Structure formats: C-alpha cells, structure tokens
Amino acid sequence: MEPFRWRNCYADVQTYRHARTIQTYFDDVIIPALDTLDCKTEELEQRGGAWATFAKPDMQDVIRETKLAFSLAIQSIWERKLRGYIAGCARELYPVEDLQIRIERADWEGLQKYFAKLRGIELRDFPSFMILDILQHLGNAARHGDGKSAGRLVEQCPDFCVSACKFGSDALSMTFDHDGPTRRA
C-alpha cells in the first residue's frame, strides 16, 4: 500500500495519543469488567440449584448489555476524535470558512465528505474503513434501534447482532461470547 500524503496540520500531531487512549480503555476498563462478569457467571454455575437457573440468564443479559455499552463508548470516543480531527484541519486549512458547526452536526456521510474535502483522500481508501463503517453503524443502531444504520449493519454483518433490538421487521436476540457474536432465533 502506498502511503497517503497530505499537508500536515496540528490536528495530525494531536492524533498521536488516540490509539493509546482507546487501548488503555480496552485493557484497563473493558477487559477487567468483562472478566469480573464472567467470574460471577461461573460462580452462579458452581452454586447450582434453582436460584442459579434463574440468575444465570439474568447475568447473561447483564453481560450483553455491558458489551453493548462498551461498544457505544468505543464508537463515541472514536467519533469525537474524528470530528475533532476534521474540525482541527478545517480551522487550519480553511480559516476563513466557519466549518466547525457543520462538522459538529454532520452525519457519517457528511463527515466522510468533509474529510475528503480537507485531506484530498476518501476515508473509504483507508484499509480500516470497513471496520470503522461497521463501528459507526453499530453505534447508531445501538442508540436508535431500527433505522438506516441498523439495516446497514445487518447487511454488512448478517451474523452480527446487537442486544435484543429489532433490526428490520423481525426481532433478533443477540449473544456475545469471547469468540464473537452469535445469532439466536
């Protein structure tokens, strides 16, 4: 892959810490929280009895909702960083135009257009675009349920499901495990 080239902005310099921020959040917040919930689930299984039979599905719901909440947090962090980056580039490259408010209000397609205008490269040209596109639709579907992003997420990842939300006309029940999402009818 040939490296992308553009005029560096101060916004480019500020991105140096973004990967570390999300990695720290993942390592120090998400993984310990999920490990704790997994331990509680194991404790319930070891206790056995009628109470555990009812408590285990409740704990699985807690785990699913926790994973959904973390996916929203990751998507939100990423989107805020992207908007900040694009706005920073706009301030430096087009100081006469006041693009700040338009960038803050732009939807996903709008952000892609601003990025292309400011950097001369389509976000789609980056190898990571497909994953970022899925992350964006995941965040929107988790926030809003049925809608354009939910439909798009099902198209992109038919085996990937988020909580017990309705996507399209049928209700899907979602579970997550360490090997990835699975779909239950």
Side-chain angles (χ1 to χ4, degrees):
M1 179 178 95
E2 188 173 323
F4 297 116
R5 300 192 187 281
W6 59 53
R7 177 182 157 203
N8 283 333
C9 296
Y10 185 65
D12 292 297
V13 174
Q14 291 178 313
T15 65
Y16 82 92
R17 67 184 178 273
H18 294 343
R20 187 72 200 135
T21 298
I22 203 67
Q23 190 64 54
T24 300
Y25 183 69
F26 188 77
D27 292 342
D28 297 342
V29 177
I30 295 174
I31 295 300
L34 294 177
D35 286 346
T36 297
L37 292 174
D38 285 343
C39 287
K40 287 186 179 197
T41 302
E42 287 177 27
E43 288 173 16
L44 289 172
E45 287 177 0
Q46 290 174 359
R47 282 187 198 166
W51 184 83
T53 302
F54 293 104
K56 185 176 176 187
D58 290 341
M59 185 56 77
Q60 289 170 332
D61 285 343
V62 169
I63 291 170
R64 183 177 56 249
E65 292 300 323
T66 301
K67 289 180 179 181
L68 180 60
F70 283 140
S71 69
L72 279 167
I74 291 169
Q75 187 275 332
S76 179
I77 292 167
W78 170 79
E79 184 177 330
R80 283 193 324 269
K81 300 293 185 189
L82 178 65
R83 283 180 193 278
Y85 172 75
I86 294 171
C89 291
R91 279 190 301 276
E92 189 169 335
L93 298 172
Y94 293 90
V96 179
E97 294 181 44
D98 187 16
L99 298 175
Q100 184 75 29
I101 292 174
R102 286 186 270 172
I103 291 168
E104 287 174 8
R105 294 180 180 166
D107 63 8
W108 178 225
E109 284 76 25
L111 287 175
Q112 292 176 61
K113 289 177 186 173
Y114 283 116
F115 185 90
K117 174 183 177 177
L118 294 165
R119 306 321 278 153
I121 298 167
E122 298 284 333
L123 271 175
R124 294 182 180 283
D125 293 340
F126 288 86
S128 59
F129 176 79
M130 189 167 80
I131 293 167
L132 297 176
D133 192 50
I134 289 168
L135 180 63
Q136 182 66 27
H137 292 298
L138 172 65
N140 285 342
R143 279 185 195 89
H144 307 295
D146 281 346
K148 182 179 169 185
S149 284
R152 196 52 209 208
L153 185 61
V154 170
E155 286 174 18
Q156 289 176 306
C157 305
D159 295 333
F160 186 76
C161 302
V162 184
S163 80
C165 297
K166 289 184 178 181
F167 288 144
S169 61
D170 62 347
L172 299 177
S173 178
M174 314 305 173
T175 61
F176 293 85
D177 56 29
H178 291 297
D179 297 325
T182 57
R183 178 177 172 175
R184 295 184 301 175

